[in-house]
Amino acid sequence: MKVGFIGLGIMGRPMAKNVRKAGYDLIVNTLEQKTIDEFVALGAESAKSAAEIASKVDVIITMLPNSPQVRDVCLGKGGIIETATDKTVVIDMSSIDPVASKEISAELAKKGIEMLDCPVSGGEPKAIDGTLSVMCGGKKEVWEKYYDLLKTMAGSVVYVGPIGSGNVAKLANQMIVACNIGAVAEALTFAKKAGTDPELVYQAIRGGLAGSTVLDAKAPMMLAGNYKPGFRIDLHIKDLTNALNAAHAINMPVPMTAQLMEVMQELKNHGEGANDHSDIVKYYERMTGTSIVK
């Protein structure tokens, strides 16, 4: 099976490397010549456009910043649709608006091109070690055919439903993560302002119902004042924008998500958009005049 990979950024680069390590023939496309050279050294081919890739492969994986970029690569000038056939499959692993996933898929389907939306969770460390969580939408029989390919990049690959469902699941994940980080920051700031050591509060509650992956990942970062990005505020703003758009498209209010979006906008306005989303604690620091950093 010959695989095309478009988008070799922070996430896409290690994901594509894992595909190549698994023995798949790989053709890549990105704007960075240094990255192209790196993949050629690994035995991959390079292409100058998405259309060139589509003319040579069975399946194309895209890992791009947002909906407009996915739309352009799939449907724009020099895009996949120009040369792909009814035997081509597009697996979009970007995190985009599920409404856009459905629209792009509908246009590709006019040429008989199948599409899966398979966004990921886990950040750069899990992309590097190939243990991402992948949530997939599209036709189940197509998902089953490419399950092994997806597993080269992931520890978990779960089918969720029709096209768009993968991105619905990803946005649900991002809504929960944002609200959980906000709750951790608020609770630990409350502890400090009340005169109790927030680190001891963290140790006391982590084994109970308040314990969570988010608590264990982000509380130590907040207490250390470590905001080195595992997942940047700017990217979470992008995801929450898509979540709000998708929710409003079905006339659903999402007040908790909206509140966290406003918190993150405050952080961005203070020049902290490139920081990890644990930086949410600095919103509370500014609001209360209290820091939990040891």
Side-chain angles (χ1 to χ4, degrees):
M1 183 187 297
K2 207 161 195 177
V3 179
F5 206 111
I6 300 172
L8 302 175
I10 291 173
M11 295 292 289
R13 183 167 160 265
M15 289 165 65
K17 282 186 176 181
N18 285 327
V19 171
R20 179 65 189 138
K21 284 177 188 176
Y24 287 91
D25 291 333
L26 189 67
I27 305 180
V28 298
N29 172 257
T30 190
L31 299 176
E32 295 289 335
Q33 186 59 46
K34 182 179 178 181
T35 303
I36 291 289
D37 293 342
E38 180 182 4
F39 275 87
V40 169
L42 293 173
E45 297 178 47
S46 67
K48 294 181 179 179
S49 69
E52 183 182 346
I53 285 181
S55 69
K56 297 178 176 179
V57 301
D58 308 296
V59 57
I60 304 162
I61 297 170
T62 53
M63 189 63 178
L64 298 161
N66 208 348
S67 308
Q69 291 81 13
V70 177
R71 188 184 302 274
D72 186 54
V73 162
C74 288
L75 307 178
K77 184 177 179 180
I80 290 167
I81 200 167
E82 287 188 1
T83 58
T85 71
D86 59 6
K87 294 181 174 60
T88 310
V89 172
V90 175
I91 303 177
D92 179 38
M93 302 189 77
S94 321
S95 295
I96 70 173
D97 188 331
V99 175
S101 293
K102 293 176 184 178
E103 292 172 349
I104 294 165
S105 176
E107 289 301 311
L108 292 173
K110 292 176 183 178
K111 273 195 74 173
I113 303 163
E114 295 287 354
M115 177 176 169
L116 299 173
D117 67 307
C118 298
V120 306
S121 178
E124 185 182 8
K126 289 186 177 292
I128 291 170
D129 64 21
T131 59
L132 290 165
S133 294
V134 183
M135 45 220 91
C136 302
K139 292 181 181 177
K140 193 168 187 181
E141 61 270 25
V142 178
W143 171 77
E144 288 172 343
K145 181 176 179 180
Y146 292 99
Y147 176 84
D148 289 342
L149 172 61
L150 292 166
K151 278 289 286 181
T152 66
M153 299 171 275
S156 168
V157 178
V158 177
Y159 178 75
V160 186
I163 192 74
S165 299
N167 274 302
V168 168
K170 175 59 187 288
L171 294 181
N173 179 84
Q174 296 303 81
M175 294 161 76
I176 292 169
V177 168
C179 292
N180 278 358
I181 296 175
V184 171
E186 186 171 295
L188 295 183
T189 304
F190 160 73
K192 180 65 178 285
K193 198 161 180 66
T196 303
D197 186 335
E199 185 165 12
L200 295 180
V201 169
Y202 161 58
Q203 294 298 337
I205 67 176
R206 63 192 295 255
L209 191 58
S212 69
T213 301
V214 168
L215 179 67
D216 282 338
K218 300 304 175 181
M221 293 181 70
M222 294 177 187
L223 291 163
N226 172 19
Y227 311 117
K228 182 179 178 181
F231 192 78
R232 297 193 301 273
I233 290 286
D234 283 339
L235 290 176
H236 216 140
I237 286 173
K238 183 262 289 188
D239 287 341
L240 294 189
T241 299
N242 285 334
L244 291 167
N245 289 342
H248 295 163
I250 57 172
N251 299 317
M252 179 180 171
V254 281
M256 293 174 68
T257 300
Q259 179 63 43
L260 266 297
M261 170 65 103
E262 296 305 313
V263 170
M264 290 189 186
Q265 289 291 348
E266 190 268 358
L267 299 171
K268 185 177 178 68
N269 288 341
H270 279 84
E272 296 161 19
N275 287 356
D276 186 80
H277 44 189
S278 59
D279 184 85
I280 285 173
V281 74
K282 293 180 78 173
Y283 168 81
Y284 288 95
E285 182 178 295
R286 284 189 283 270
M287 187 167 60
T288 64
T290 301
S291 173
I292 69 167
V293 176
K294 299 287 287 184

